[in-house]
Amino acid sequence: MTEGMALAEALTVEHRAIDDGIEAFLGDEGDPQALRDAMLALRRHIYLEEVFLFPPLKPTMMMPIFVMLREHGELWRAMDGVDAAVTAGEDADAACRDLLVLLDEHNKKEEPIVYPRADADLDDEVRAELADFLRDGTYPEGWVCEQA
Ligand SMILES: [Fe+2]
Ligand SMILES: [Fe+2]
């Protein structure tokens, strides 16, 4: 995370980077490493949201967070489908396109509704934890999201 960047902005930058990685795989170059990196980045992104961001927002945003958690479950299963296709040496393009559609639907709600509250509502300690994780955090091996 770039110093001085608002959390909302830093989290939105991650969304775009993940989209770009999947699109690099679907493009003419068919970059498989870009896809692997994007899948790791998306799992890590979901981890940071469910572990650091959502719990303190939950009391005041019960419904939006509930929807976000449900959609994370859909995203997680879609990623499992992409990984399974890649591992089996099958064509993963259709699974990647489906994942991009799910991501678009998720991000266009999360960015305007949830992210502004990350900067407005979180206390300094949580914001510092989140900023640290954004910089160089890794999620625990084998972790799965709440509704996977
Ligand atoms: Fe999310
Ligand atoms: Fe997100």
Side-chain angles (χ1 to χ4, degrees):
M1 178 178 170
T2 307
E3 223 54 61
M5 198 188 265
L7 279 176
E9 192 184 348
L11 291 164
T12 301
V13 166
E14 288 210 343
H15 284 175
R16 293 295 90 77
I18 290 161
D19 290 345
D20 288 350
I22 299 167
E23 273 154 15
F25 174 75
L26 287 170
D28 294 339
E29 304 290 317
D31 186 348
Q33 189 58 45
L35 181 63
R36 277 193 291 273
D37 291 345
M39 294 300 95
L40 257 180
L42 180 52
R43 291 184 198 276
R44 173 186 180 272
H45 180 86
I46 288 174
Y47 174 82
L48 89 85
E49 289 180 348
E50 295 199 5
V51 171
F52 298 108
L53 179 63
F54 291 175
L57 298 178
K58 227 173 182 171
T60 54
M61 311 191 78
M62 195 75 98
M63 227 18 238
I65 298 296
F66 177 82
V67 173
M68 294 297 99
L69 289 170
R70 196 184 61 212
E71 291 182 354
H72 283 177
E74 289 170 7
L75 289 167
W76 204 271
R77 291 188 292 278
M79 279 191 281
D80 287 344
V82 168
D83 287 345
V86 170
T87 303
E90 291 164 4
D91 186 351
D93 285 16
C96 283
R97 287 203 184 84
D98 290 346
L99 178 58
L100 280 174
V101 171
L102 290 176
L103 277 170
D104 182 55
E105 286 167 4
H106 182 70
N107 295 343
K108 75 184 182 201
K109 293 193 287 277
E110 193 170 63
E111 287 168 17
I113 297 169
V114 179
Y115 285 180
R117 309 293 288 272
D119 290 297
D121 293 3
L122 298 184
D123 61 39
D124 289 348
E125 196 182 324
V126 175
R127 291 170 44 75
E129 252 180 353
L130 245 168
D132 267 359
F133 189 88
L134 272 164
R135 206 156 24 237
D136 56 13
T138 51
Y139 70 92
E141 172 117 33
W143 183 86
V144 297
C145 72
E146 193 175 302
Q147 296 190 29

